[in-house]
């Protein structure tokens, strides 16, 4: 296959309710096969719209993914649309049907026509069993085009890609000329980054740069077919950015920090106010984080800062709960109280309320403490509540990394 | 305007890095105007691809949004594509240019051509100033079609919609026949829900049903032009589902629970093991949550459960850290320790490691304690790590709601 497109079906994707992650997941799986995802078209649960989108895609590329619209309800239309486009007939897949029957049996649910419907597949399709849901995947090779139908729920979509679909595509694909890629995760403002790399980022020298912003910082991507050339440019990027590159590849900052903690046999505890547990959630998002993360205190109310984190009352009264002094003390005390090597503290004003002239919404102090040292940094983020929480947790992890690296 | 489409530009949206939220945000803003978002087409930073997508959209709808590709880097191509499509010329917007100049001055950055480029707009465009970034929004009315160009970063995209764009569209739109909608948030398996509503969900009776799954449960949406009819069906839905509807409209479960806590003048504390702070993060995602949420303990390591949450060692040794007994004790003790009205406890195995035959990955116990009562529920979720964390937090909030409602 040369190139792919995705048709994401589902009215919920176009009415403000659901954010679709399918294009992101799919692109990650297609990259190793050297198949670019050229377009993601999101259409509502409407037969005509799905029909047009699939037809248009099949004229541009030779690999067409269609997600969603395979469930039990009356607004699930993908099956019938594909039948109209590709011919054949709808037949029950025995494995899927049996799986649904057993599910109904186990859970005491009725084995209804609606539920059975989920086992209907195109007669000419190669069926890929779904290990985590009712709807199987379908792979149809027709007139040189490969159509792949997948259920909409993200866990089933991902499961089927990882268990059957990608392996099958790889076997269809055979050997492919690989595109050489280097990824750098950088914690730095995009503008500065672009300036810093101006000398290296030279269009049309065979290596393409792309920059992608996130609460994780900026991802710099190099692409090229000449591996040696890509390596050479990558070397220059490392030279220019140095330690501001916190990872190469898709590693997250919490994974990097976790690795450093483990390498040092160190442990970590967190004290969070405005982030409300988001920092702990990110740290524990890394499998195996229990090896170094002991836990934390969500000190949302001042009483908690006082009574459970033992932050002195006069410190809060003198400087305020949102202050460098309190952030530092939170980090120190949570470290002691959890008997950890490192302690982290975050206090700030996530808004929308609670801001003042002197202490505006977005003001955040992050702190990291280890034996004999406490570092605190002050930030003002001009963002909304959830973004302030996310970027605060990120900056705290950046500070922890610096200390772990002994910078 | 009758209908809208969105063209989301950005290679990072098709290479597995970034999940785009623009379609979701845009749809929410368009609904009150009665303008449906009919398609979201995501294309890479490629002039031809952007050109085709915009052209195709302009043939289907009369309102075309284009996001991204307006930044300072060489892979930002939207400006030039729109110039080629619509004619006119590129001119500097003085306000934007001045804003960029001041930004560079303040932050000691160079006022480079690249940074200036962000102030270039189409000469025929109505410019909407960007309060949070360098790139202004552009609105171009041409041959009966309205084109709107917006920067890609979500906070700027959202800011411009809320500050200028939507108001301008509303004025262009004038009065519109409203579509009547009712939303129900239900914490119930989709299959059961569909069965339960089978009698009410009658296609072609003027009220359309749609179902949308999420870690929040299922959202049931009724749509119709006949308000009275929609109301009648909504009444039947309420009758059938009763208390399993935890909210109507776009309210989240944490908002509902927050409202109930405030109404009862009650406070809340959380003790999390496998969710690692995610529950606290969700609770504190609600503005004003400090009125009832005191904070919590992230008891990731057993030592923390023992020493800081005072869970008895023999309880853990007898039943294991992942057990109904320990979950209940975590809820009880965090309640006491934070002196809160309600305490929540979550312990489980998020995986991928740590599962056994008797205690598989996905086994989770959620508990809620109040004076004189502790309730614990056992679940086994066949999902991956982050989903197990999310659905565990959700189930804990469902249990808390039940107790707050005195069920």
């Amino acid at each position: 296959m040369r190139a792919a497109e995705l048709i994401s079906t589902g009215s919920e994707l176009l009415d403000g309710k659901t954010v679709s992650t399918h294009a992101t997941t799919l692109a990650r799986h297609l990259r190793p096969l050297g198949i670019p995802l050229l377009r993601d078209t999101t259409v509502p649960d409407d037969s005509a719209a799905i029909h047009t989108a699939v037809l248009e895609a099949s004229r541009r590329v030779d690999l067409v993914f269609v997600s969603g619209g395979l469930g039990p309800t009356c607004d699930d239309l993908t099956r019938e649309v594909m039948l109209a486009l590709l011919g054949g007939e709808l037949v029950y897949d025995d494995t899927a049907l049996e799986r649904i029957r057993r599910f109904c049996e186990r859970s005491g649910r009725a084995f209804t026509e609606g539920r059975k419907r989920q086992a209907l597949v195109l007669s000419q399709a190669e069926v890929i069993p779904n290990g985590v849901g009712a709807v199987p995947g379908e792979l149809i090779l027709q007139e040189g085009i490969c159509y792949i139908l997948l259920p909409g729920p993200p866990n089933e979509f991902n499961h089927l890609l990882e268990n059957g679909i990608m392996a099958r595509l790889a076997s269809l694909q055979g050997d492919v000329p690989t595109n050489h890629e280097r990824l750098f995760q950088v914690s730095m403002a995009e503008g500065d980054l672009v300036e810093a790399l101006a000398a290296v980022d030279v269009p049309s020298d065979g290596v393409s740069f792309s920059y992608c912003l996130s609460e994780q910082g900026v991802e710099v991507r190099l692409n090229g077919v000449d591996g040696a050339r890509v390596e050479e440019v990558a070397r220059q990027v490392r030279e220019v950015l140095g330690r501001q590159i916190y990872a190469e590849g898709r590693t997250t900052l919490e994974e990097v920090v976790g690795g450093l903690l483990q390498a040092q046999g160190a442990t970590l505890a967190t004290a969070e106010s405005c982030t409300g547990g988001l920092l702990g959630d990110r740290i524990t998002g890394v499998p195996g984080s229990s090896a170094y993360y002991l836990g934390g205190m969500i000190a949302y109310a001042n009483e908690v800062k006082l009574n459970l984190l033992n932050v002195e009352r006069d410190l809060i009264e003198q400087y305020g709960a949102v202050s460098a002094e309190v952030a530092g003390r939170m980090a120190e005390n949570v470290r002691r109280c959890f008997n950890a090597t490192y302690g982290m503290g975050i206090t700030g004003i996530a808004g929308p309320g609670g801001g003042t002239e002197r202490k505006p919404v977005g003001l955040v102090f992050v702190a990291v403490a280890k034996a004999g040292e406490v570092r605190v940094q002050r930030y003002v983020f001009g963002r909304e509540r959830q973004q302030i929480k996310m970027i605060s947790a990120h900056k705290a992890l950046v500070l922890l990394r610096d200390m772990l690296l002994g910078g």
Side-chain angles (χ1 to χ4, degrees), chain A residues 22-145:
Chain A
H22 290 348
T24 312
T25 314
L26 180 57
R28 282 188 193 152
H29 283 94
L30 288 173
R31 186 183 295 102
L33 298 184
I35 303 173
L37 179 63
L38 293 189
R39 199 187 268 228
D40 171 24
T41 307
T42 305
V43 293
D45 297 310
D46 174 276
S47 296
I50 301 171
H51 190 282
T52 318
V54 175
L55 194 62
E56 288 172 354
S58 68
R59 288 174 182 150
R60 286 183 297 253
V61 297
D62 55 359
L63 177 57
V64 179
F65 287 83
V66 184
S67 71
L70 297 167
T73 61
C74 57
D75 59 3
D76 291 305
L77 306 162
T78 299
R79 261 182 210 91
E80 287 70 17
V81 169
M82 296 310 291
L83 181 67
L85 273 165
L86 304 178
E89 54 181 325
L90 290 177
V91 297
Y92 283 111
D93 175 67
D94 297 338
T95 317
L97 200 59
E98 175 56 16
R99 189 185 157 82
I100 296 166
R101 197 191 57 68
R102 282 204 317 275
F103 168 81
C104 293
E105 206 173 73
R106 265 205 324 280
S107 58
R109 295 185 166 93
F111 189 42
T112 60
E113 284 313 310
R115 290 204 164 98
K116 284 182 193 168
R117 197 172 128 68
Q118 301 177 99
L120 281 176
V121 299
L122 280 172
S123 46
Q124 68 270 47
E126 181 179 335
V127 179
I128 289 87
N130 180 346
V132 298
V135 176
E138 298 177 59
L139 186 149
I140 303 134
L141 277 164
Q142 211 155 305
E143 290 156 11
I145 296 170

Side-chain angles (χ1 to χ4, degrees), chain A residues 252-289:
Chain A
T252 64
L253 184 53
E254 49 268 40
E255 287 170 325
V256 171
V257 164
L260 291 168
L261 286 164
Q262 268 186 292
Q264 301 184 14
T267 57
L268 176 66
T270 53
E272 306 182 60
S273 185
C274 64
T275 47
L278 174 59
L279 178 60
D281 177 39
R282 272 189 64 174
I283 293 167
T284 59
V286 180
S289 45

Side-chain angles (χ1 to χ4, degrees), chain A residues 147-213:
Chain A
Y147 300 87
I148 293 176
L149 313 185
L150 294 168
N155 65 311
E156 301 185 33
F157 182 87
N158 304 352
H159 176 87
L160 277 160
L161 285 178
E162 288 159 15
N163 300 275
I165 300 284
M166 294 320 297
R168 188 71 184 85
L169 280 180
S171 71
L172 289 170
Q173 192 71 342
D175 292 346
V176 287
T178 49
N179 158 56
H180 296 271
E181 179 181 73
R182 280 285 168 278
L183 295 178
F184 300 93
Q185 309 298 337
V186 186
S187 192
M188 189 173 172
E190 190 186 26
D192 303 333
L193 185 59
V194 172
E195 296 304 314
L197 292 178
V200 187
D201 181 356
V202 185
S204 73
D205 79 338
V207 178
S208 73
F209 275 68
S210 65
Y211 303 90
C212 168
L213 238 78

Side-chain angles (χ1 to χ4, degrees), chain A residues 225-402:
Chain A
V225 285
D226 177 348
R229 183 84 195 90
V230 173
E231 277 318 318
E232 165 53 20
V233 176
R235 196 190 52 70
Q236 295 174 36
V237 170
R238 290 188 197 99
E239 213 170 85
V240 173
L241 300 181
R243 229 168 85 166
Q244 287 169 300
I245 298 169
Y246 65 78
E248 297 199 18
R250 301 217 159 272
T251 316
T252 64
L253 184 53
E254 49 268 40
E255 287 170 325
V256 171
V257 164
L260 291 168
L261 286 164
Q262 268 186 292
Q264 301 184 14
T267 57
L268 176 66
T270 53
E272 306 182 60
S273 185
C274 64
T275 47
L278 174 59
L279 178 60
D281 177 39
R282 272 189 64 174
I283 293 167
T284 59
V286 180
S289 45
S290 53
Y292 48 84
Y293 184 61
L294 302 179
M297 193 81 80
I298 304 172
Y300 214 55
N302 280 347
E303 291 62 41
V304 178
K305 297 186 185 73
L306 293 166
N307 308 333
L308 294 167
L309 265 180
N310 313 314
V311 176
E312 299 84 340
R313 182 175 294 282
D314 59 9
L315 205 66
I316 292 181
E317 280 167 357
Q318 189 178 349
Y319 301 100
V322 178
S323 62
E325 292 74 11
V326 169
R329 193 55 55 90
M330 286 169 69
E332 275 182 281
N333 291 6
V334 81
R335 179 183 161 274
R336 283 212 201 77
C337 158
F338 281 68
N339 188 24
T341 324
Y342 288 87
M344 302 173 78
I346 303 179
T347 180
I349 303 164
T356 66
E357 183 61 39
R358 263 186 62 261
K359 296 193 172 183
V361 168
L363 174 67
V364 176
F365 295 89
V366 304
V368 177
K370 65 178 179 181
E373 183 183 6
V374 182
R375 281 195 220 170
V376 186
Q377 283 172 351
R378 176 185 188 278
Y379 293 97
V380 180
F381 305 117
R383 306 281 185 90
E384 55 73 37
R385 187 175 178 86
Q386 195 52 29
Q387 281 176 312
I388 290 170
K389 291 174 70 177
M390 285 172 74
I391 195 159
S392 301
H394 177 72
K395 291 297 185 184
L397 288 168
V398 171
L399 179 58
L400 175 59
R401 173 176 174 263
D402 287 344

